Amino acid sequence: MVDWLARLAAQDRLLTIVGIATALLFAIALLFALLTIALRLRSLRLATVRTRLEQTWEPLVLGALTGDVSPEAVRNAVAPRDSLFFVAYVLRFVNRFVGEERNTMRQLTRPYLPLVAAQLKSRSAESRAHAVQTLVLVGMEEYDREVLSALDDPSLTVAMVAARTLASKEQTRFAPEILGRIHRFEHWNPLYLASLFSGMGSDVVPALRQIYQDPSSDRRVRRVVADALHDLDDIESAATAHTIALAEEDVELLAASMRLLARVGGPADSGVARRALGHDSALVRLRAADALGELGGPQDLLRLRAAIDDPEPWVSLAAARALSRLGGRDILESLCQEETPRGSLAREILSAGAGPA
Amino acid sequence: MIESFAWGFLHAFNWLVLGYFALLNVTYLVTTLAAFRVIRRYTQRLKTVQAHQLLAASGSPPITIVGAAFNEQATVVDAVRSLLNLEYPSYAIYIVNDGSKDDTLGVMQRAYEMEPVDLFPTGTIPTGRVRGVYRSRTHPSLYVIDKENGGAADARNTGFNYARTPLVCVIDADSLLERDSLLRIARPFLEDRDTVAAGGIIRVINGCTVESGFVTDIRLPKNLLARFQVLEYLRAFLSSRVGWDSLEANFLVSGAFGVFRRDVLIEANGYDRTTIGEDMELTLRIQRTQQDRGARHRVAFIPDPVCWTEVPETLSQLGRQRDRWHRGLLQVFERHRDMVGNPRYGPLGMVAMPYLFFLELYGPVIEVLGYIAFAITVIAGAATLPYVLAFTALAFGFGMALSIAAIALEELIFRRYARSTDLAQLFLLGIVEAFGYRQLNSWWRIRGTISYFRGINTWGTMERRGFRGGTR
């Protein structure tokens, strides 16, 4: 058979090529099949081993939490090859505890943290990110330097994971470092980024205010910061928001400032909102209508009635909501009879917000 | 003279088919290998950035789920029940009843106590007339928009007009999302402000057990055609979409499960109501619009958010579906042919569009003519037995390698088919599908080409069995 094939191949180059390609493909298929089987066997074995380890560790860890088992006894049950899995096991539960219990959980992982820290030097960005996350969640202050350096990691994934895990009320000591690198996270969704900063709590407000009022800061960053200050209800930012709203040309920053004013401003800021209601940008008009609903008074009812006819439906919606807040139900009721989108809008608002927020 | 010309032509054509075949399969192989690299990294990344961490974040953008329903009385209540139990901080559900002739609206009204409400549309996409909007008394985030029949694209566009959230998730009303699908698919929108759309994976629900609107036991279907489609879907999503995504050349966010930025959808005027390949058409149109106005944008594919869908189990239904898909592809190229080989559109224009145009669009014609030419060559005695065997083995080897690679990708990260017997059957399917199933597919796609040139533009219908009743 082999001789026959060899003779054929020698006679015909095309057949040789096709034969080799076919053999190669069969080899690839076989390789993938073996890989699949190996992966399946490995995952089955891992699942068995890990279930057994977890069954062994669970009573010991619970005992350590109640003080019935010493930390040494727990450590004795963790073989060196299982130490990283033990850290991952503890990591799963560490956020469910607070105070002393949480500290006990963290202490249990302490002997293994150098191994985790060593992964910060890994070539794989994902491994570095995983190490950073672990060190922040179960690590002690002794790893602050390593964790902070991750904010400057060449991989944005690592920096992102570091910022995300560091940005919490429990770890406000990291806030200045995160805010100092805010430009690195510009590509994130602005609202998500804002919620990340506001999640750090009121301790970060002074730093946020400084960025917000600094004209040399990037406008996109200032916009995110305005949203964070909005989430934090920072009344003292109203004056800055007022100033920015009067002079700013960047539409997004202007709109974010109007939004902030609507939350923390007062009647003295209503003039800014009135002015912005005539802005070219629909986004700014929308925020202005919303702000006017919070800061304005009866003198704004007709202005808002006119805004209901804005060509941009979102502005109409914001104006109708603002009218309702300022007590302009009569105006809305007069629109209710219309079988037009405007009539539908008035009916929606009057029926106590049938629409989604 | 004529005979010599005919033989020359046949010879040349055989070479053309061989070239097509080699190029097509090498493309598949390249995207599959790229997918391996991506999925391996993605697995590692999942350990670090878990979707549930995002749940805790107050900045998760609210989502409106828009499901178009036409004659879905058998499945819509269960499908909605599953949607109501998704894990996501803030979302609304809009079921758009597209003038169903059955009792879709009635079953929704009874099951969820829907009452008429006024809702102001904030979008301006032209659509069919809306007859009424209903809101559930028991689930205030659930709405039904009842409209005159206008097709799936028109129904979805109606939902977009009423949506008030930054993100809109498009699903088929007869599909089931996994509980954490929204969390997972929202991720690219959080991590990259330029993301305009993202697609998730579609899996075959036939054969699985469904309880309370969620898939609780995953098995291969009993029906052979549905089994082949399991393998096809694994190849299409894990090998192909992941691979194209790694090349930044995503050309399709499926209408069965995809998330879009609402402002981008409205700006693009929603789905094109005149094409039946509306999901690919929209994906391409969004990208070219963004590119033409110089806006940075990204269309992502995320392999772990899962949408379960029922696939056809009869030859006639499957044939109609594939016929429709291919007509849709032809229609897409009516509108976007100028993107083919256009460097303005980056890898999408330079790699993905030529692949679709030369290999997918006219591939079936070349393939079937290739079978005929090959048969003539053999019958006329111009090809010896070793040739016949070698080329058959080559075709078979490519198909098998690609299918088994897709199974390996599945095993690398998801391992949904936990039973070893299911895994063994998947291997077997990878081996046997080259004999018959592949040729049938080519024939259906040729039929789609013929229908297209005959001006047929209908969807056809698919009978649904419903999710109730355990194992399907």
Side-chain angles (χ1 to χ4, degrees):
Chain A
M1 179 73 177
V2 176
D3 286 346
W4 179 70
L5 283 173
R7 269 204 312 279
L8 270 177
Q11 285 164 11
D12 195 321
R13 191 180 291 169
L14 176 63
L15 203 59
T16 312
I17 294 168
V18 171
I20 291 170
T22 308
L24 204 64
L25 284 170
F26 274 83
I28 290 172
L30 187 67
L31 209 66
F32 280 132
L34 290 174
L35 174 70
T36 310
I37 293 165
L39 285 169
R40 172 61 59 101
L41 292 174
R42 181 174 167 269
S43 63
L44 287 175
R45 193 178 55 81
L46 265 181
T48 312
V49 169
R50 289 184 170 178
T51 307
R52 187 172 47 76
L53 287 173
E54 286 173 7
Q55 282 168 351
T56 311
W57 293 338
E58 188 180 329
L60 293 171
V61 170
L62 289 175
L65 282 172
T66 55
D68 297 334
V69 176
S70 68
E72 288 73 30
V74 179
R75 281 169 208 152
N76 288 338
V78 180
R81 67 173 181 278
D82 301 325
S83 41
L84 285 177
F85 178 61
F86 179 73
V87 176
Y89 171 74
V90 173
L91 196 68
R92 262 188 269 162
F93 306 106
V94 80
N95 276 341
R96 297 186 197 169
F97 295 97
V98 289
E100 196 49 44
E101 286 183 328
R102 184 170 186 175
N103 199 37
T104 305
M105 293 287 276
R106 293 168 71 180
Q107 290 294 341
L108 289 176
T109 63
R110 191 173 194 144
Y112 315 112
L113 294 186
L115 281 176
V116 178
Q119 289 187 324
L120 288 171
K121 295 189 177 73
S122 164
R123 286 178 61 191
S124 152
E126 283 73 20
S127 297
R128 295 201 300 278
H130 187 55
V132 168
Q133 180 173 271
T134 307
L135 287 173
V136 173
L137 291 178
V138 300
M140 324 293 162
E141 290 185 8
E142 65 216 59
Y143 291 101
D144 277 6
R145 197 169 51 84
E146 285 87 343
V147 167
L148 280 175
S149 66
L151 287 169
D152 297 317
D153 193 282
S155 158
L156 279 178
T157 305
V158 179
M160 184 182 70
V161 169
R164 193 182 270 164
T165 27
L166 286 172
S168 71
K169 279 181 187 164
E170 290 84 37
Q171 322 223 47
T172 49
R173 65 184 188 280
F174 295 119
E177 279 75 13
I178 297 173
L179 290 173
R181 291 159 178 87
I182 199 167
H183 58 280
R184 288 211 77 190
F185 315 120
E186 261 183 72
H187 62 289
W188 289 7
N189 178 296
L191 285 179
Y192 184 70
L193 198 53
S195 80
L196 198 77
F197 294 142
S198 58
M200 290 192 274
S202 53
D203 285 0
V204 298
V205 166
L208 290 175
R209 273 189 216 137
Q210 207 170 355
I211 296 170
Y212 181 48
Q213 65 195 16
D214 180 3
S216 66
S217 294
D218 185 286
R219 284 191 166 99
R220 282 196 295 188
V221 170
R222 289 169 78 199
R223 179 233 162 149
V224 167
V225 167
D227 285 334
L229 289 167
H230 167 275
D231 295 348
L232 288 162
D233 289 325
D234 181 43
I235 292 171
E236 286 185 38
S237 299
T240 311
H242 186 113
T243 311
I244 291 173
L246 278 175
E248 185 55 50
E249 287 176 3
D250 180 84
V251 165
E252 291 199 347
L253 178 56
L254 178 53
S257 299
M258 291 304 310
R259 183 167 175 260
L260 177 57
L261 265 186
R263 175 70 72 98
V264 299
D269 301 309
S270 58
V272 182
R274 275 180 213 114
R275 205 177 95 154
L277 203 55
H279 199 277
D280 290 342
S281 156
L283 178 65
V284 174
R285 294 201 301 279
L286 185 164
R287 297 291 182 217
D290 189 43
L292 212 50
E294 296 296 332
L295 314 172
Q299 70 276 22
D300 295 308
L301 293 179
L302 288 177
R303 197 173 274 111
L304 287 168
R305 162 65 191 83
I308 287 183
D309 293 328
D310 194 284
E312 171 55 54
W314 284 100
V315 180
S316 309
L317 180 64
R321 283 175 173 162
L323 256 181
S324 174
R325 286 203 297 274
L326 289 178
R329 291 181 71 88
D330 293 349
I331 298 173
L332 291 170
E333 275 164 11
S334 69
L335 296 175
C336 269
Q337 310 308 321
E338 293 182 16
E339 279 308 319
T340 59
R342 197 168 60 176
S344 169
L345 170 63
R347 288 192 294 276
E348 178 191 326
I349 301 298
L350 287 173
S351 61
Chain B
M1 174 74 181
I2 292 172
E3 195 180 341
S4 149
F5 175 77
W7 278 117
F9 179 78
L10 196 63
H11 188 68
F13 189 74
N14 277 336
W15 275 104
L16 174 75
V17 172
L18 188 66
Y20 152 75
F21 175 79
L23 204 58
L24 179 72
N25 285 291
V26 166
T27 311
Y28 287 157
L29 212 53
V30 168
T31 55
T32 303
L33 293 175
F36 263 99
R37 194 178 130 265
V38 172
I39 285 193
R40 201 176 140 267
R41 289 188 66 178
Y42 190 73
T43 317
Q44 288 179 316
R45 195 156 183 221
L46 280 180
K47 287 182 197 161
T48 311
V49 194
Q50 289 170 1
H52 291 82
Q53 289 170 333
L54 300 180
L55 183 65
S58 57
S60 302
I63 298 180
T64 299
I65 300 172
V66 174
F70 176 70
N71 292 348
E72 304 284 2
Q73 66 173 25
T75 56
V76 72
V77 171
D78 286 328
V80 167
R81 184 170 300 127
S82 122
L83 294 177
L84 286 167
N85 288 295
L86 297 178
E87 288 177 15
Y88 197 76
S90 171
Y91 67 99
I93 303 164
Y94 289 2
I95 300 298
V96 186
N97 179 40
D98 187 33
S100 296
K101 293 186 176 69
D102 68 357
D103 198 25
T104 300
L105 181 61
V107 295
M108 282 296 293
Q109 284 176 322
R110 288 189 292 279
Y112 297 108
E113 299 181 32
M114 311 297 301
E115 61 179 352
V117 289
D118 278 292
L119 197 60
F120 175 65
T122 50
T124 50
I125 307 170
T127 64
R129 193 176 73 85
V130 173
R131 296 189 287 222
V133 180
Y134 302 82
R135 183 187 194 179
S136 168
R137 279 198 198 97
T138 52
H139 300 87
S141 61
L142 171 62
Y143 292 79
V144 171
I145 302 169
D146 182 37
K147 66 178 284 289
E148 289 174 354
N149 182 259
D154 194 57
R156 287 175 186 148
N157 288 345
T158 307
F160 302 158
N161 279 342
Y162 283 91
R164 292 188 182 169
T165 52
L167 299 181
V168 176
C169 173
V170 182
I171 58 156
D172 279 343
D174 58 353
S175 301
L176 297 181
L177 292 186
E178 280 199 348
R179 209 181 284 269
D180 58 1
S181 298
L182 285 186
L183 274 179
R184 291 179 184 278
I185 204 165
R187 214 166 86 178
F189 293 94
L190 299 181
E191 293 177 353
D192 186 351
R193 59 186 293 157
D194 297 326
T195 304
V196 292
I201 187 168
I202 317 284
R203 287 177 178 271
V204 174
I205 201 170
N206 308 45
C208 300
T209 304
V210 178
E211 284 169 11
S212 306
F214 290 99
V215 174
T216 52
D217 185 26
I218 299 165
R219 303 198 71 154
L220 279 181
K222 289 191 171 60
N223 178 282
L224 186 64
L225 275 182
R227 281 186 193 183
F228 281 131
Q229 290 170 82
V230 170
L231 196 58
E232 260 187 320
Y233 277 55
L234 287 182
R235 267 201 317 263
F237 285 93
L238 293 183
S239 304
S240 176
R241 300 275 173 89
V242 173
W244 287 112
D245 185 58
S246 73
L247 300 172
E248 296 184 7
N250 261 318
F251 48 80
L252 177 60
V253 172
S254 168
F257 181 34
V259 173
F260 297 85
R261 249 174 51 191
R262 183 190 171 280
D263 58 334
V264 169
L265 273 179
I266 299 292
E267 184 191 359
N269 238 7
Y271 285 109
D272 181 345
R273 293 179 296 172
T274 61
T275 168
I276 48 176
E278 77 283 353
D279 43 8
M280 185 187 286
E281 198 283 328
L282 177 65
T283 313
L284 294 176
R285 183 152 42 88
I286 282 177
Q287 292 185 84
R288 75 182 296 169
T289 309
Q290 298 290 316
Q291 186 65 42
D292 289 349
R293 65 182 182 85
R296 287 176 59 181
H297 61 280
R298 179 184 170 223
V299 174
F301 176 76
I302 313 293
D304 55 339
V306 177
C307 173
W308 293 92
T309 197
E310 187 179 344
V311 298
E313 292 194 345
T314 64
L315 282 172
S316 62
Q317 284 190 348
L318 184 60
R320 279 202 298 273
Q321 184 196 57
R322 298 304 154 96
D323 175 318
R324 190 180 72 236
W325 285 1
H326 204 72
R327 271 184 286 143
L329 187 63
L330 283 152
Q331 286 180 341
V332 164
F333 276 95
E334 260 178 36
R335 289 156 175 78
H336 300 290
R337 188 170 298 163
D338 56 330
M339 288 176 79
V340 178
N342 192 334
R344 182 181 178 78
Y345 302 107
L348 179 67
M350 294 303 287
V351 187
M353 292 299 280
Y355 152 77
L356 284 171
F357 187 73
F358 293 109
L359 301 178
E360 289 291 341
L361 195 65
Y362 293 109
V365 178
I366 297 174
E367 190 174 322
V368 169
L369 290 178
Y371 290 136
I372 295 167
F374 193 62
I376 293 172
T377 314
V378 172
I379 291 165
T384 57
L385 184 66
Y387 265 101
V388 175
L389 292 177
F391 279 99
T392 309
L394 185 67
F396 170 67
F398 257 127
M400 189 174 64
L402 292 168
S403 294
I404 293 176
I407 300 166
L409 278 169
E410 165 77 4
E411 199 61 27
L412 192 64
I413 180 167
F414 304 110
R415 291 184 286 278
R416 295 296 177 124
Y417 295 96
R419 291 173 178 82
S420 300
T421 47
D422 282 348
L423 191 64
Q425 284 186 49
L426 280 173
F427 280 140
L428 193 65
L429 289 167
I431 294 168
V432 300
E433 73 163 349
F435 304 102
Y437 186 72
R438 186 189 164 100
Q439 290 74 19
L440 265 177
N441 256 302
S442 299
W443 163 241
W444 287 323
R445 290 163 72 190
I446 288 213
R447 218 172 59 185
T449 309
I450 296 167
S451 308
Y452 169 79
F453 285 111
R454 286 175 61 198
I456 296 171
N457 199 26
T458 55
W459 269 68
T461 54
M462 177 170 157
E463 194 182 316
R464 303 287 180 189
R465 294 172 53 191
F467 300 127
R468 212 181 291 270
T471 306
R472 303 190 62 258

